[in-house]
Amino acid sequence: MLRVMRPATQARSTCLLISPPRQRILQIRFASNETAAKPTSTTPTQKRKFKLGKFLFSITLLSGLAYGGAVYYSLKDDKFRDNFTENIYGAKQVVDYVEDLQRQGVFYDMKKKVWRIGSKYINLPELSEDNISSDKISEFTSKENPIIRKLSDTIRELDNFMVNHDLKHAGGKILSRARDELRNLSNNIDQLKADEQDLCQKKLEEQNEKYNQIIDKYENSMDQQIKDKEFALKQQFDQEKRELYEQHYTQLNAELSRQASEHDKELKNELVRQAVDMQRRWVRDVMIMVEKERNGRLAKLDYINKRLKTLERFCIDNTENLDASIKVHRLWCALKSLQNIVEQPHRTPFIEQIVAMRRYFSTDEVVSAVLSTIDDSVAINGIDSVSDLSKRFNTVREEVRRASLVPENGGVFSHLLSFVLSKILFRKHGLVDGNDVEAILARVQYYLNKNDLDTAARELNQLEGWPKKLANDWIISARNHLEVKQAIEVCFLLCFILFYFYLNLILNR
Amino acid sequence: MSVDKQSSEDILNEKWDFCISNLLVKTGIGLSVGIVASALIFKRKSWPIALSTGFGIGVSYAECQKTFNPTAIPGVKIIKNSSSTSG
C-alpha cells in the first residue's frame, strides 16, 4: 500500500512543482504591468543601460525574486524547504539567516517602519497598524497569495514610509488608487486563480486519470511483483522455516541426546544405587530365607527321619515277615517231605530231612526241642508204617500166643507145654474184657484194625513175662512211629500257628 | 541192624532151634560113643549105647533148660522184691 500511495504523493508533488513556473509567469505579467509601481527596489541595477545589461538585470532580478520567493516559501513549507536546501547551493544558509532575522523581529520592525511611512503619505490613522493588518491587509493576506501578500507588504511599507515622511496627504490618493487596483488585481487574481484552479482541476483530473492508469498498471505489476515476491518470500519463508526447523531439530536432537545421556547417567546412578540396595536387601532376605529354609529343612529332616524310621520299621517288619514266611514255608516244605517219607508204605530212612531241619531251624527252640526227641538211629532206619506194624503184629501175636502159658521162670517143658496147649486155645476177637494175654491180643488187634496204633501199643504194653519180651520190639517200633508222627504234628501245629500269627499281623497292619 | 539183631518175637523160636539141634548132636554123640564103647569095651552089649545116648539127651536138656531160663540154676532161687512168682 505504501508503494501504491507513493505515486499519489508524487503526483501531488509534481502538481506543486508545476506551480512555480506559473507563479513566475504571473510575476512577469505583474512586473510588466507594475514596473512603475516599484522604482525604489530596482535602482542599483538600472546603472547599466545597454541591452545586455538589461537582460542581465532582468535575469538577476528574476532569479533573485525566485530565490527570495523560494526562500520565503521554504519558510512556510517544510517539505519544500527540505527540497530547496538540499538542491540549491547556499539555500540552507540563506533560509537559516532569514529565519534568524524573522525570529529577531527585523521584519516586524520593517513593517512598522513601512506602515509609519505609509500612514504619513496615505493619511492613515496613527494607530492603524492594527487596523491595516486586521481589516485591509489581512484581506489580502487571507488570500494566501504570496505575490499579493508581497504587494500588500510593499504597499504597507509605502504607507509606513509615507506616514514617517508625512506624505500621507500627498500620497493618499495614489495609495487609495493603488488599493483599488490592488483590489482589482486581487479580484483578477482570484479570477485567474479560479481559472487556474479549473485548469488545474482539469489537469489534475487528467493527471489523476493518467496516474490512476499508471497506478492500475503499476498496481497490477505490483500485484504481480507482490505475488512473485510473496511467492519468493513464501519460498524463502518455507526454506527458512525448514532451515529453522532443521536447526531447531538438530538443536532439539542435541538437547535431547544430552538430556538422554544425563538421564541415562542418572538412571545408571539410580540403577547402581538400587542395585546396591537390592543386593543388601537380597543378602538380608537370603539370610532370612536361609534361616527359614534351615529351620524348614530341619523340620523336614525330622519329618523325613520319622518317615524313614517308620519305613525302616516297615522294612524290618516286612523282612521279619518275609523271614518268618520263608521260615514257615521251609518248615512247611520240610515237614511235608518228612511226612511223605514217614507215610511211605515201607521203612524209609529220613535222616536227611531231619538233618536239614536241624540246620535250618537251629534257632527255633520249639523245632529243635521237637527234633531232639527223634533218635538218630530211628531216623537212619526209618519207621514202620501202620500197615507194616499190623502185618508184623500177626507174627508177634502167634508167638505171644505160643508163649502165653509159659510161667515166668518156666523151663523147657513149660515152654513145650505152652506151645502144645496154645494150639488148642480159643481165639478171642473184638473188644474183649480181661487181663489175659488172649484178650489183650484181641483188643490190640481190634485197635489196630481201627488204626489206633497208640491205644494198641498201650494195650500191648500191659503184657508181662515172655509175651512182653516177645512183643517188645513191636512196641518199640510202634512207639518210634508214634513219636515221629507226634513230632511232625507238633511241627505242623507250630507252622499253622506261625502262619496264622503272621497272617493276622499282616492283615491287621 | 535188624539183620544182626534178633527180633523179639523170634527169641523163643531160636531157643527151640538151638535146643533141638543140641539134642540131636548130643544124642548122636552119646549114641555113637555108646556104640563104640559097647563094641570095643563092653563086647557088643546094648546098655552102654542106651546109657551114653541118655547122657547125651540129658546134657542137651540141661543146656536147653539153661537157654530157656538162665536164672534157674538148681538149688538157687531168685526172690523178687515186688512179687514172688513160682518157677
Side-chain angles (χ1 to χ4, degrees):
Chain A
M1 281 305 283
L2 274 167
R3 294 269 170 124
V4 176
M5 286 300 286
R6 206 169 286 171
T9 49
Q10 274 180 351
R12 217 172 292 147
S13 65
T14 45
C15 196
L16 283 168
L17 278 168
I18 290 160
S19 56
R22 288 210 171 270
Q23 282 176 350
R24 229 171 279 154
I25 292 158
L26 284 172
Q27 276 176 346
I28 290 160
R29 276 190 205 161
F30 185 66
S32 59
N33 288 338
E34 302 286 325
T35 36
K38 40 181 180 175
T40 50
S41 59
T42 55
T43 43
T45 52
Q46 275 176 346
K47 279 172 185 172
R48 293 185 178 179
K49 302 236 174 172
F50 49 88
K51 230 178 176 180
L52 185 71
K54 202 176 180 178
F55 175 70
L56 278 172
F57 169 72
S58 60
I59 290 293
T60 311
L61 186 73
L62 279 171
S63 57
L65 272 172
Y67 200 82
V71 167
Y72 185 76
Y73 188 70
S74 70
L75 288 173
K76 299 290 172 188
D77 196 343
D78 281 345
K79 212 174 267 177
F80 180 76
R81 183 185 167 171
D82 286 348
N83 233 340
F84 182 62
T85 50
E86 205 173 325
N87 293 322
I88 310 297
Y89 174 74
K92 188 171 164 66
Q93 283 85 352
V94 172
V95 169
D96 285 346
Y97 178 69
V98 168
E99 211 172 34
D100 212 28
L101 284 176
Q102 202 178 22
R103 221 175 286 136
Q104 283 167 5
V106 175
F107 289 123
Y108 184 70
D109 288 349
M110 252 158 64
K111 198 169 82 180
K112 246 180 167 179
K113 255 181 198 169
V114 167
W115 184 257
R116 215 177 296 148
I117 291 160
S119 63
K120 217 179 257 179
Y121 291 104
I122 307 166
N123 204 12
L124 284 168
E126 202 59 39
L127 253 164
S128 64
E129 44 188 37
D130 287 334
N131 295 351
I132 291 163
S133 61
S134 61
D135 51 49
K136 282 168 187 155
I137 307 303
S138 65
E139 188 182 320
F140 306 117
T141 53
S142 68
K143 304 289 183 183
E144 298 224 348
N145 197 321
I147 296 158
I148 303 295
R149 205 184 300 152
K150 209 167 184 179
L151 195 63
S152 68
D153 282 350
T154 314
I155 290 164
R156 206 179 296 146
E157 260 177 61
L158 196 64
D159 193 37
N160 283 348
F161 180 76
M162 282 165 77
V163 167
N164 286 350
H165 292 86
D166 290 335
L167 295 169
K168 205 175 176 181
H169 300 290
K173 240 180 211 171
I174 303 160
L175 266 171
S176 62
R177 206 178 63 203
R179 211 175 291 149
D180 291 340
E181 276 178 6
L182 194 65
R183 202 170 288 134
N184 287 339
L185 186 66
S186 178
N187 290 338
N188 204 8
I189 281 164
D190 283 345
Q191 187 66 39
L192 271 170
K193 225 175 190 176
D195 289 354
E196 279 295 316
Q197 202 143 4
D198 287 348
L199 203 76
C200 207
Q201 195 72 30
K202 213 176 279 169
K203 208 108 188 190
L204 261 171
E205 275 170 7
E206 278 174 17
Q207 287 274 341
N208 201 16
E209 211 165 308
K210 189 177 152 196
Y211 280 110
N212 271 341
Q213 278 175 0
I214 289 163
I215 283 162
D216 283 350
K217 211 185 283 172
Y218 198 73
E219 264 182 354
N220 287 340
S221 67
M222 278 314 284
D223 274 354
Q224 193 62 37
Q225 271 183 6
I226 281 161
K227 270 178 189 166
D228 290 354
K229 195 83 185 175
E230 200 179 330
F231 182 69
L233 274 170
K234 204 175 261 177
Q235 270 188 342
Q236 202 177 343
F237 173 71
D238 280 353
Q239 199 172 340
E240 275 187 10
K241 192 171 139 188
R242 210 175 300 130
E243 275 173 12
L244 268 171
Y245 179 74
E246 276 170 11
Q247 201 177 341
H248 185 68
Y249 186 71
T250 49
Q251 264 185 0
L252 215 68
N253 265 347
E255 185 70 15
L256 210 68
S257 59
R258 194 178 61 76
Q259 277 192 358
S261 65
E262 274 180 14
H263 191 65
D264 274 1
K265 211 179 282 173
E266 275 179 22
L267 272 177
K268 228 171 253 176
N269 286 340
E270 186 71 11
L271 201 71
V272 166
R273 199 172 59 71
Q274 275 194 359
V276 167
D277 263 19
M278 267 176 73
Q279 202 154 357
R280 208 177 298 142
R281 209 180 304 144
W282 191 71
V283 164
R284 204 169 56 226
D285 280 5
V286 161
M287 275 170 75
I288 290 162
M289 287 279 277
V290 162
E291 283 294 319
K292 214 182 278 175
E293 186 76 16
R294 195 181 289 158
N295 290 338
R297 203 166 283 178
L298 282 174
K300 210 171 263 180
L301 271 175
D302 279 354
Y303 177 69
I304 285 166
N305 207 12
K306 211 180 279 174
R307 288 287 300 272
L308 192 70
K309 270 178 183 169
T310 51
L311 213 66
E312 271 178 357
R313 183 77 256 150
F314 275 132
C315 194
I316 286 162
D317 285 355
N318 213 2
T319 316
E320 278 175 359
N321 288 342
L322 210 66
D323 281 351
S325 160
I326 287 166
K327 189 175 151 191
V328 169
H329 186 68
R330 274 175 181 168
L331 188 60
W332 182 265
C333 286
L335 284 172
K336 219 55 183 144
S337 79
L338 191 63
Q339 202 181 23
N340 270 344
I341 285 162
V342 165
E343 284 175 358
Q344 288 280 313
H346 303 291
R347 237 172 222 258
T348 320
F350 51 90
I351 184 72
E352 285 175 18
Q353 278 72 20
I354 295 294
V355 168
M357 275 177 82
R358 276 194 190 138
R359 198 170 64 237
Y360 284 128
F361 306 101
S362 57
T363 50
D364 199 299
E365 285 177 15
V366 181
V367 174
S368 51
V370 166
L371 286 174
S372 69
T373 59
I374 297 168
D375 204 27
D376 273 354
S377 58
V378 175
I380 287 161
N381 291 324
I383 52 162
D384 291 318
S385 64
V386 179
S387 60
D388 271 0
L389 282 170
S390 326
K391 217 181 275 173
R392 192 178 167 188
F393 180 71
N394 288 332
T395 53
V396 169
R397 187 180 179 175
E398 288 305 314
E399 294 301 324
V400 168
R401 196 209 292 271
R402 276 180 202 163
S404 62
L405 296 170
V406 179
E408 197 167 356
N409 293 317
V412 180
F413 286 103
S414 59
H415 278 279
L416 194 65
L417 194 69
S418 168
F419 181 78
V420 173
L421 287 174
S422 67
K423 301 284 179 194
I424 54 164
L425 272 173
F426 290 108
R427 289 173 182 257
K428 289 181 177 173
H429 295 286
L431 198 63
V432 229
D433 287 331
N435 278 329
D436 60 312
V437 175
E438 193 60 34
I440 288 168
L441 287 173
R443 284 208 294 276
V444 169
Q445 188 65 53
Y446 172 78
Y447 285 127
L448 276 176
N449 287 345
K450 289 224 162 185
N451 224 355
D452 192 354
L453 192 63
D454 190 25
T455 325
R458 276 173 209 282
E459 286 290 341
L460 206 60
N461 207 24
Q462 287 178 0
L463 292 170
E464 282 176 352
W466 277 107
K468 177 78 182 272
K469 271 182 194 168
L470 292 174
N472 200 28
D473 261 13
W474 190 91
I475 290 166
I476 286 166
S477 284
R479 202 173 284 157
N480 284 338
H481 180 97
L482 285 170
E483 272 176 0
V484 170
K485 272 263 172 95
Q486 201 178 22
I488 288 167
E489 270 168 22
V490 165
C491 283
F492 266 119
L493 207 65
L494 180 74
C495 218
F496 279 123
I497 287 165
L498 285 172
F499 176 72
Y500 279 112
F501 174 71
Y502 289 121
L503 192 71
N504 207 21
L505 218 69
I506 288 160
L507 286 175
N508 283 345
R509 195 170 291 150
Chain B
M1 215 153 150
S2 66
V3 178
D4 297 336
K5 203 183 174 182
Q6 211 70 38
S7 293
S8 63
E9 62 262 27
D10 293 333
I11 292 169
L12 274 177
N13 293 336
E14 289 210 345
K15 283 185 198 297
W16 279 118
D17 288 350
F18 176 73
C19 276
I20 287 162
S21 63
N22 203 22
L23 176 68
L24 285 175
V25 168
K26 297 285 169 30
T27 312
I29 288 165
L31 184 69
S32 57
V33 166
I35 287 165
V36 168
S38 74
L40 288 175
I41 302 161
F42 299 106
K43 296 167 182 177
R44 297 190 190 179
K45 296 250 178 42
S46 62
W47 59 273
I49 296 168
L51 186 75
S52 62
T53 308
F55 275 127
I57 291 167
V59 167
S60 70
Y61 169 74
E63 280 185 359
C64 198
Q65 190 71 19
K66 235 180 194 167
T67 43
F68 276 108
N69 193 359
T71 55
I73 303 153
V76 179
K77 196 170 186 178
I78 296 164
I79 301 156
K80 281 188 177 177
N81 291 331
S82 55
S83 60
S84 60
T85 47
S86 61

